[in-house]
Amino acid sequence: MSTNQKNRVSHVAIIMDGNGRWAQKRALPRSMGHKQGAETVKEIARAANELGIGFLTLYAFSTENWNRPKEEVDTLMGLLRQYLKSDFSELNKNNIRIRFIGEREMLAPDIAASMEQLENETAANTGMTLCLAVSYGARQEIAGAARRLASLVKKGDISESDIDIKLFSDMLYTKDMPDPDILIRTSGEKRLSNYLLWQLAYSEMFFSDTLWPDFKPQELRDIINEFYSRERRYGKV
Ligand code: FPP
């Protein structure tokens, strides 16, 4: 694997799609697909950390996912609760830092409190940052940034002409993170589904037919190798 600095992978973002179809193929309830998908989260996080990736951002629950049947929302929130309280401690042992992006005020108070606790507990870790997007929507994030800037202008803290790409980025959940080098979406769908719309401006896109519960570290390594072989020009010739 090349370690060319210009192309080094510092951030991989993933849309983990296909849990439902994975379960359906096995005549299992959708909840089993999510459960298996959550196992893949741990496996891929471990592998990404070993590969020396700085940031791994996973789309665990979108703002639109609140519209799924209550039973499925409850399953996903239950899994998250369980992971926050126990399974993620293994990641902490592996020196992984954990953070969350999304609308926390939408979440049950105990989940929001566990998230904060986990972020604090892992803040001093020096390995990869695992960033979980929970109750996350990119348009909501961008509208929120615009609102905050408008309020700073109104208060006189900044002037209109101070608003540039850097300042706008600083108003996003991802403010101290590099933009993703790579976006992966599993399960054959080719959409962004309101994910990191601002941050993905120059990311290389990879669409895999693998259903998320079947996604293995080797496929991540293959994608990273292909990334190294692509040439990124950032609009230049
Ligand atoms: C898409 O599959 C996946 C989701 C909506 C949620 C992703 C959640 C997990 C991987 C598990 C929970 C994560 C943690 C961190 C505890 P889908 O249901 O849309 O699949 P389908 O398109 O095949 O129906």
XYZ file of all heavy atoms in Angstrom, residues 16-22 30 34-35 37-38 41 59-61 65 68 72 76 79-80 83 88 132 187 189 211-212, ligand 1:
275
model
N -23.997 2.623 5.788
C -24.115 1.175 6.057
C -25.511 0.725 5.637
O -26.443 0.797 6.420
C -23.917 0.922 7.551
C -22.684 1.587 8.140
S -22.466 1.188 9.885
C -23.703 2.207 10.670
N -25.649 0.277 4.408
C -26.979 -0.042 3.894
C -27.112 -1.546 3.629
O -26.122 -2.208 3.299
C -27.205 0.755 2.595
C -28.673 0.870 2.240
O -29.516 0.388 3.019
O -28.972 1.440 1.174
N -28.327 -2.053 3.750
C -28.602 -3.437 3.365
C -28.870 -4.390 4.521
O -28.994 -5.597 4.300
N -29.009 -3.857 5.739
C -29.292 -4.752 6.878
C -30.614 -5.490 6.688
O -30.710 -6.690 6.962
C -29.398 -3.947 8.184
C -28.090 -3.328 8.594
O -27.047 -3.671 8.063
N -28.151 -2.395 9.537
N -31.627 -4.749 6.232
C -32.963 -5.333 6.058
C -32.930 -6.441 5.022
O -33.476 -7.541 5.243
N -32.270 -6.193 3.882
C -32.213 -7.199 2.814
C -31.397 -8.421 3.246
O -31.696 -9.537 2.880
C -31.632 -6.575 1.533
C -32.696 -5.865 0.700
C -32.086 -4.922 -0.295
N -31.573 -3.727 0.372
C -30.749 -2.853 -0.179
N -30.325 -3.065 -1.405
N -30.364 -1.800 0.496
N -30.369 -8.194 4.043
C -29.559 -9.309 4.554
C -30.458 -10.254 5.352
O -30.391 -11.476 5.197
C -28.424 -8.754 5.425
C -27.478 -9.784 5.960
C -26.317 -10.191 5.379
C -27.608 -10.522 7.186
N -25.718 -11.151 6.160
C -26.481 -11.377 7.268
C -28.557 -10.553 8.204
C -26.281 -12.242 8.352
C -28.363 -11.416 9.271
C -27.229 -12.252 9.337
N -36.108 -8.111 10.330
C -35.166 -7.038 10.003
C -34.233 -6.723 11.180
O -33.075 -6.360 11.001
C -35.936 -5.762 9.614
C -36.655 -5.862 8.281
C -37.478 -4.592 8.013
N -36.642 -3.394 7.968
C -35.958 -3.008 6.895
N -36.015 -3.707 5.789
N -35.231 -1.908 6.940
N -30.073 -5.730 11.567
C -29.445 -4.605 12.278
C -28.451 -5.116 13.326
O -27.393 -4.529 13.535
C -30.516 -3.732 12.935
C -31.398 -3.025 11.940
N -30.886 -2.347 10.856
C -32.742 -2.896 11.849
C -31.892 -1.832 10.148
N -33.020 -2.158 10.730
N -28.826 -6.217 13.977
C -27.954 -6.778 15.007
C -26.621 -7.216 14.369
O -25.540 -6.922 14.884
C -28.658 -7.989 15.639
C -28.177 -8.342 16.980
C -29.255 -9.074 17.787
C -28.673 -9.444 19.131
N -28.166 -10.804 19.194
N -25.489 -6.133 11.570
C -24.853 -4.895 11.094
C -24.050 -4.227 12.202
O -22.970 -3.678 11.964
N -24.563 -4.300 13.410
C -23.860 -3.695 14.546
C -22.562 -4.465 14.838
O -21.552 -3.878 15.247
C -24.769 -3.672 15.774
N -20.042 -3.209 12.495
C -19.521 -1.905 12.941
C -18.245 -2.115 13.762
O -17.213 -1.484 13.530
C -20.578 -1.123 13.778
C -19.944 0.056 14.507
C -21.719 -0.646 12.888
N -22.873 6.077 9.246
C -24.258 6.581 9.291
C -25.106 5.536 10.005
O -25.535 4.545 9.408
C -24.747 6.758 7.857
C -25.783 7.834 7.612
C -26.247 8.084 6.324
C -26.287 8.624 8.637
C -27.177 9.080 6.053
C -27.214 9.629 8.380
C -27.654 9.843 7.085
O -28.574 10.834 6.814
N -25.327 5.729 11.296
C -26.041 4.724 12.081
C -27.553 4.959 12.084
O -28.336 4.006 12.184
C -25.525 4.702 13.510
N -27.973 6.241 11.988
C -29.413 6.537 12.044
C -29.623 7.938 11.481
O -29.074 8.908 11.992
C -29.881 6.466 13.508
C -31.371 6.445 13.673
C -32.072 5.239 13.672
C -32.091 7.621 13.819
C -33.448 5.216 13.818
C -33.466 7.610 13.967
C -34.151 6.408 13.968
N -34.805 8.291 9.270
C -35.083 6.974 9.876
C -36.118 7.041 11.001
O -36.728 6.026 11.347
C -33.810 6.320 10.408
C -32.894 5.778 9.333
O -31.689 5.654 9.520
N -33.448 5.440 8.168
N -39.435 5.420 10.189
C -39.643 3.967 10.054
C -40.652 3.501 11.112
O -40.897 4.202 12.096
C -38.307 3.239 10.241
C -37.380 3.516 9.068
C -36.264 2.512 9.005
N -35.477 2.758 7.810
C -34.563 1.928 7.329
N -34.310 0.805 7.944
N -33.894 2.220 6.243
N -39.190 -0.818 14.521
C -37.824 -0.813 13.979
C -36.980 0.295 14.613
O -35.798 0.093 14.918
C -37.852 -0.668 12.454
C -36.463 -0.784 11.866
C -36.444 -1.067 10.372
O -37.484 -1.444 9.806
O -35.354 -0.899 9.787
N -33.453 -0.231 16.675
C -32.192 0.475 16.421
C -31.729 1.249 17.659
O -30.540 1.237 18.004
C -32.353 1.420 15.217
C -32.374 0.694 13.864
C -32.907 1.600 12.755
C -30.968 0.192 13.494
N -30.365 -1.227 20.200
C -29.009 -1.663 19.855
C -27.994 -0.581 20.234
O -26.935 -0.861 20.794
C -28.899 -1.883 18.341
C -29.168 -3.270 17.808
C -29.133 -3.255 16.291
C -28.129 -4.266 18.346
N -28.351 0.643 19.912
C -27.456 1.760 20.219
C -27.229 1.858 21.734
O -26.088 1.971 22.205
C -28.079 3.058 19.683
C -27.239 4.309 19.797
C -25.961 4.177 18.978
C -28.030 5.534 19.298
N -24.929 -0.883 22.824
C -23.554 -0.631 22.399
C -22.905 0.463 23.229
O -21.746 0.367 23.593
C -23.509 -0.292 20.903
C -23.313 -1.536 20.090
C -24.301 -2.512 20.051
C -22.132 -1.776 19.418
C -24.125 -3.677 19.357
C -21.938 -2.948 18.711
C -22.926 -3.894 18.684
O -22.739 -5.063 18.009
N -19.044 -0.812 23.276
C -18.055 0.161 22.862
C -16.851 0.236 23.801
O -15.838 0.838 23.468
C -18.676 1.551 22.692
C -19.433 1.693 21.389
C -20.564 2.485 21.329
C -19.018 1.049 20.238
C -21.279 2.619 20.134
C -19.720 1.178 19.040
C -20.847 1.964 18.993
N -19.966 8.434 15.004
C -21.246 7.821 14.629
C -22.276 8.914 14.377
O -22.496 9.788 15.234
C -21.731 6.913 15.748
C -20.963 5.603 15.920
C -21.454 4.860 17.145
C -21.105 4.707 14.694
N -24.565 -2.178 -0.399
C -25.875 -2.734 -0.801
C -26.329 -2.359 -2.209
O -27.476 -2.618 -2.558
C -26.976 -2.394 0.217
O -27.646 -1.199 -0.125
N -26.996 0.506 -3.594
C -27.697 1.777 -3.812
C -26.662 2.855 -4.113
O -25.566 2.851 -3.556
C -28.501 2.178 -2.563
C -29.449 1.125 -2.034
C -30.623 0.845 -2.961
O -30.878 1.668 -3.866
O -31.257 -0.202 -2.797
N -23.996 -6.390 1.069
C -24.919 -5.906 2.106
C -24.091 -5.649 3.373
O -23.164 -6.413 3.671
C -26.008 -6.951 2.368
C -26.842 -7.327 1.120
C -27.827 -8.459 1.450
C -27.593 -6.120 0.559
N -24.416 -4.586 4.109
C -23.546 -4.172 5.219
C -23.161 -5.309 6.180
O -21.981 -5.457 6.531
C -24.145 -2.973 5.981
C -23.339 -2.616 7.180
C -23.674 -2.808 8.481
C -22.007 -2.051 7.182
N -22.658 -2.391 9.297
C -21.621 -1.922 8.537
C -21.116 -1.652 6.182
C -20.384 -1.407 8.919
C -19.875 -1.137 6.559
C -19.522 -1.023 7.912
C -29.595 0.478 6.567
O -30.142 -0.787 6.369
C -29.073 0.629 7.898
C -29.623 1.396 8.879
C -30.863 2.167 8.698
C -29.029 1.516 10.199
C -27.587 1.132 10.349
C -27.456 0.557 11.699
C -26.614 -0.405 12.076
C -25.542 -0.928 11.195
C -26.706 -1.039 13.409
C -26.729 -0.128 14.584
C -25.452 0.561 14.802
C -24.865 0.740 15.998
C -23.664 1.568 16.067
C -25.357 0.134 17.226
P -31.645 -0.887 5.887
O -32.476 -1.231 7.073
O -32.047 0.374 5.188
O -31.529 -2.088 4.886
P -32.433 -2.338 3.617
O -32.210 -1.189 2.680
O -31.874 -3.623 3.089
O -33.835 -2.450 4.100
